[in-house]
Amino acid sequence: MSPIFTPLDPSQHLTKQASNIVLGITGGIAAYKAAILARLLIKAGFAVRVIMTQGAQQFITPLTLQALTGNAVHTELLDTAAEAGMGHIELAKWADLVVIAPASANTLARLAMGMADDLLSTVCLATTANVIIAPAMNQQMWAHPAVQLNVQTLSDLGYHLIDPDSGVQACGDTGAGRLPEPEALLEHIEQFVTQQSLVQCLAGKQVTITAGPTVEAIDPVRFLSNHSTGKMGFALAKACRDVGAQVTLIAGGKVALPTPMGVQRVDVLSAEDMLQAAIDAAQAGCEIFIATAAVADYRTRDAAPQKIKKTQDTMTLALVKNPDILAHISHNYPAIFMVGFAAETQDVEKYAKGKLAAKKLDMIACNDVSRKDIGFASDENAMTVYFAAAYQKAAVVLDKASKAAIAQQLVTLIGNTI
Ligand code: C5P
């Protein structure tokens, strides 16, 4: 009998996502990075309106930001151009999110005191939107107890702070206080916005994900591997992080993808290394284990210690079976919620259910790899998810979508099942 397929209702995991950002720029040499950030935010789909303090205007001009955002830049608290002369209230209501980058020591102090003597500080008091603050200043100033006290006060008041980077500063000093690069600021902001819009269904959960191929040595310079890129596992790591999980990502082979912010990455090469890393994670309190890795089924029985010479016309490699990482963890750590993946070309349901039982899984996500438009190396995927019989859940079809969207839906299914 074929299963009853139920599509996933997006309202189960999504609320309205922030789209209007008020970008506050204060006086500091890092103000030039705010111009690039404004551009990146617009490219990422946000509507951006800029407030500049008097100090900011000493470093870059409002015209630059006006040209980049397509909106007039706001600089005055009392604005005759604003409807009813109350620009601060209009901006405060319009904002879904306020980002202050760079935030000077002076602005931190004034916000911590709740002052309202310029447009930016007044908007921060008048808005119900979240406020993200990215401080930037000389390292000695950043280390000053008064500044640190203000940072603590702001955090207690519910402001969200992005730590400054360390490194060489414009003034020639070296230390903490640099504004992170605009790309990194964008990543922080996007992560924050996504997190705010998602039900935190894995809050505080420890999740381990295996991803990518494994690499099995033949000799010191050659290996057996496969075409897996790790994209699905990395997308899942982000999606789990975005709903509150603490994620350990075990990346096999030589995955070339950047590590998602806030995710702990463990790089391994072979299946045996991956198994050891998985056992370490299981013993460290893993609660949910998601196996997306394309583990090589076989490895060479004896990897040659020296480079093999081409002296013979033919050669035979003796192979031995690799451990099944997913099955090992599920059989030895029965309390962990286990999620497997299966790539099939036919009889998808039959094989998926067989693996679900044989590997003692709670959930299996299955894709049809005979389709050219999804799966390996592609940015898109489509899956059917089956659950262990004990959950009495019908299979769920996840229609073709980006791996990021599929990952979010899978995470919602996990959250609804655990
Ligand atoms: O048996 P098969 O390779 O089709 O199973 C696929 C699932 O098992 C995937 O979740 C994969 O990551 C996992 N697996 C594993 N260790 C292996 C082989 C597969 O963890 N040696």
Side-chain angles (χ1 to χ4, degrees), residues 185-226:
L185 290 173
L186 177 70
E187 199 181 341
H188 273 283
I189 293 163
E190 286 191 312
Q191 185 194 336
F192 181 86
V193 166
T194 309
Q195 270 174 350
Q196 292 293 315
S197 73
L198 292 172
V199 176
Q200 297 292 290
C201 63
L202 298 185
K205 294 279 179 210
Q206 292 209 33
V207 175
T208 303
I209 299 170
T210 65
T214 62
V215 161
E216 312 295 339
I218 296 173
D219 68 17
V221 293
R222 304 182 181 94
F223 56 81
L224 297 172
S225 193
N226 59 64

Side-chain angles (χ1 to χ4, degrees), residues 247-310:
V247 183
T248 301
L249 177 58
I250 305 173
K254 295 178 165 66
V255 175
L257 301 170
T259 309
M261 214 169 57
V263 165
Q264 195 202 339
R265 175 173 182 164
V266 181
D267 281 308
V268 294
L269 285 177
S270 67
E272 287 183 302
D273 295 343
M274 186 175 274
L275 175 63
Q276 189 52 54
I279 292 171
D280 292 345
Q283 288 178 349
C286 164
E287 297 166 281
I288 299 167
F289 189 92
I290 308 174
T292 69
V295 182
D297 289 333
Y298 294 91
R299 67 176 182 276
T300 48
R301 191 181 55 203
D302 309 296
Q306 305 297 336
K307 187 179 170 192
I308 300 170
K309 294 290 174 200
K310 52 176 181 240

Side-chain angles (χ1 to χ4, degrees), residues 210-212 214 271 274-275 289-298 321-329 339-344 351 355 359 361 363-365:
T210 65
T214 62
M274 186 175 274
L275 175 63
F289 189 92
I290 308 174
T292 69
V295 182
D297 289 333
Y298 294 91
K321 214 167 185 182
N322 261 331
D324 190 312
I325 298 162
L326 184 55
H328 180 94
I329 300 296
V339 183
F341 276 70
E344 303 293 347
Y351 286 119
K355 272 177 206 174
K359 300 194 188 213
L361 306 180
M363 228 172 102
I364 193 159

Side-chain angles (χ1 to χ4, degrees), residues 227-246:
H227 288 301
S228 167
T229 58
K231 282 181 185 169
M232 194 63 227
F234 276 59
L236 270 161
K238 272 190 191 166
C240 289
R241 172 203 69 189
D242 286 343
V243 292
Q246 286 168 3

Side-chain angles (χ1 to χ4, degrees), residues 19 74 287 398:
S19 57
H74 305 267
E287 297 166 281
L398 307 178

Side-chain angles (χ1 to χ4, degrees), residues 38-121:
R39 215 178 128 78
L40 292 177
L41 287 169
I42 288 168
K43 260 178 96 177
F46 294 103
V48 178
R49 292 171 75 173
V50 173
I51 298 176
M52 292 175 76
T53 63
Q54 292 298 325
Q57 294 169 64
Q58 306 294 314
F59 289 91
I60 51 171
T61 68
L63 192 62
T64 308
L65 273 304
Q66 181 179 327
L68 288 172
T69 62
N71 287 317
V73 171
H74 305 267
T75 55
E76 304 302 327
L77 177 56
L78 303 172
D79 182 0
T80 46
E83 209 180 299
M86 289 183 287
H88 57 290
I89 303 294
E90 287 166 34
L91 279 171
K93 288 205 166 118
W94 177 83
D96 297 321
L97 179 67
V98 177
V99 176
I100 306 178
S104 63
N106 180 48
T107 293
L108 296 183
R110 290 168 54 259
L111 292 179
M113 289 302 292
M115 289 178 70
D117 59 350
D118 71 356
L119 181 60
L120 183 58
S121 54

